[in-house]
């Protein structure tokens, strides 16, 4: 059972100011718009030859991410994109925060807005979820806090001028005002780790992937609201 019941799940945007919430909902005012538009150009030039003019028909496959492959590895959106970047386009993998990656992921997720994730509960996925949950509950850093301490127990409280949300992943990638740019979910994880003065991990680390899978499962009853806008 997820720690927060389906009826009590709240999107991160619930904790935003009214004006930011309105800006997120208005595609003309949303600062992610530029990234989405650039993603559409990249799609035309690199991906459309195999996948068609618009990524709409990938929607079903995208909603099933993150998924766990037969060997137990978590495949998230960035990894799935990089499979095509390396194997079909013969390029080196795109970094999580590269313009290429953020523009393509911003574009792809717009096709998911309003849908829910479908996390398959097969054996390899269950195993990876157990791992993700234990990382989520492990106390770390100089402040000795776990993800769960803040996002399952303290949500709604204010910490250093920020209201703590339930820590859902369903709005990522987001445009974050503090970053003045789009950023990945794993970049957000790094912000949380530095907040509690824990050792940082690189984007795409095995631990971050396991956490991403766990968060997707924990919040799967929320409809996706992407790309998000955050403070
Ligand atoms: C040369 C053809 C080719 C190109 C170019 C290509 N892909 Fe793919 N892509 C495929 C094939 C074939 C699959 C399904 C098999 C697989 O998983 O490798 C796939 C699968 C995918 C999937 C997973 C969807 C599914 O049905 O499993 C995504 C997402 C994706 N591609 C995104 C992209 C993006 C983004 C680009 C451009 C940066 C791109 N692809 C470029 C051939 C291509
Ligand atoms: C000291 C409390 C604290 C801890 C511990 C913490 N976070 Fe956060 N987290 C925050 C704050 C504050 C924010 C920014 C406001 C918000 O959206 O909750 C945030 C944001 C997030 C978000 C973005 C939510 C959204 O809607 O944009 C995610 C996802 C997240 N945290 C995951 C994690 C994970 C995974 C861990 C454990 C590795 C973790 N957090 C540990 C305080 C914490």
């Amino acid at each position: 059972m997820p720690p927060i019941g389906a009826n009590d799940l709240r999107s991160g945007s619930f904790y935003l100011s009214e004006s930011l919430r309105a800006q997120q909902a208005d595609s003309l005012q949303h600062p992610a718009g530029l990234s989405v538009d650039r993603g559409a150009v990249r799609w035309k030039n690199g991906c459309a030859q195999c996948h068609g003019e618009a990524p709409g028909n990938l929607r079903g496959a995208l909603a099933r991410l993150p998924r766990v492959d037969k060997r137990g590895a978590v495949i998230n959106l960035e990894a799935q994109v990089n499979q095509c970047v390396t194997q079909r386009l013969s390029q080196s993998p795109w970094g999580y925060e590269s313009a290429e990656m953020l523009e393509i992921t911003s574009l792809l997720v717009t096709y998911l807005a309003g849908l829910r994730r479908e996390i398959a509960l097969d054996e390899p996925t269950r195993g990876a979820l157990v791992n993700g949950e234990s990382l989520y509950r492990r106390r770390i850093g100089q402040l000795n806090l776990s993800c769960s301490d803040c996002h399952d127990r303290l949500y709604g409280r204010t910490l250093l001028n920020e209201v703590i949300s339930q820590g859902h992943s369903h709005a990522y990638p987001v445009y974050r005002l503090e970053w003045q740019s789009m950023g990945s979910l794993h970049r957000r994880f790094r912000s949380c780790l530095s907040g509690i003065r824990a050792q940082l991990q690189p984007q795409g680390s095995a631990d971050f992937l396991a956490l991403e899978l766990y968060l997707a499962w924990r919040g799967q009853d929320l409809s996706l609201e992407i790309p998000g806008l955050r403070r």
Side-chain angles (χ1 to χ4, degrees):
M1 274 286 285
I4 303 176
N7 292 332
D8 297 322
L9 290 175
R10 295 280 176 275
S11 160
S13 61
F14 178 85
Y15 302 94
L16 292 176
S17 68
E18 211 166 299
S19 69
L20 279 186
R21 213 165 32 239
Q23 202 182 344
Q24 178 182 274
D26 178 351
S27 62
L28 293 176
Q29 280 195 55
H30 197 315
L34 185 63
S35 188
V36 174
D37 291 347
R38 289 182 173 155
V41 175
R42 276 186 200 284
W43 178 269
K44 266 210 169 75
N45 296 332
C47 323
Q49 47 167 318
C50 297
H51 290 295
E53 276 309 292
N57 54 355
L58 294 182
R59 197 183 272 129
L62 294 173
R64 289 189 290 275
L65 297 175
R67 63 183 171 81
V68 179
D69 73 9
K70 285 184 216 96
R71 292 166 307 140
V74 177
I75 312 291
N76 64 358
L77 179 57
E78 286 86 351
Q80 185 77 68
V81 168
N82 268 334
Q83 276 183 11
C84 281
V85 168
T86 56
Q87 292 167 22
R88 317 272 171 193
L89 294 172
S90 306
Q91 295 181 18
S92 1
W94 294 345
Y96 274 58
E97 316 304 333
S98 67
E100 291 94 328
M101 183 62 87
L102 288 170
E103 288 166 13
I104 279 289
T105 53
S106 304
L107 171 75
L108 293 178
V109 298
T110 58
Y111 288 87
L112 292 176
L115 301 184
R116 285 175 191 190
R117 284 209 175 88
E118 295 157 35
I119 307 298
L121 283 183
D122 53 16
E123 271 313 304
T125 307
R126 283 174 200 275
L129 276 172
V130 170
N131 178 26
E133 176 162 12
S134 75
L135 292 167
Y136 185 80
R137 298 191 179 284
R138 188 176 63 173
R139 294 212 159 101
I140 50 170
Q142 281 177 32
L143 301 195
N144 198 32
L145 288 169
S146 70
C147 316
S148 172
D149 285 335
C150 283
H151 292 298
D152 292 333
R153 295 185 24 225
L154 296 176
Y155 61 82
R157 309 263 187 95
T158 303
L159 178 82
L160 301 175
N161 226 359
E162 265 198 302
V163 185
I164 303 178
S165 76
Q166 295 177 350
H168 295 298
S169 59
H170 72 311
Y172 282 75
V174 299
Y175 187 96
R176 191 168 173 215
L177 299 175
E178 190 183 313
W179 296 333
Q180 290 287 303
S181 71
M182 298 294 301
S184 72
L185 180 65
H186 292 193
R187 184 171 178 191
R188 176 66 246 186
F189 290 171
R190 286 167 61 87
S191 299
C192 290
L193 291 182
S194 54
I196 51 174
R197 298 197 196 91
Q199 199 178 354
L200 294 188
Q201 301 198 15
Q203 278 90 336
S205 74
D207 285 2
F208 279 1
L209 288 166
L211 281 168
E212 176 171 355
L213 177 74
Y214 176 72
L215 289 189
W217 172 78
R218 168 181 176 267
Q220 69 179 325
D221 287 321
L222 279 173
S223 43
L224 297 164
E225 235 175 58
I226 34 190
L229 176 60
R230 294 290 182 265
R231 281 186 58 214

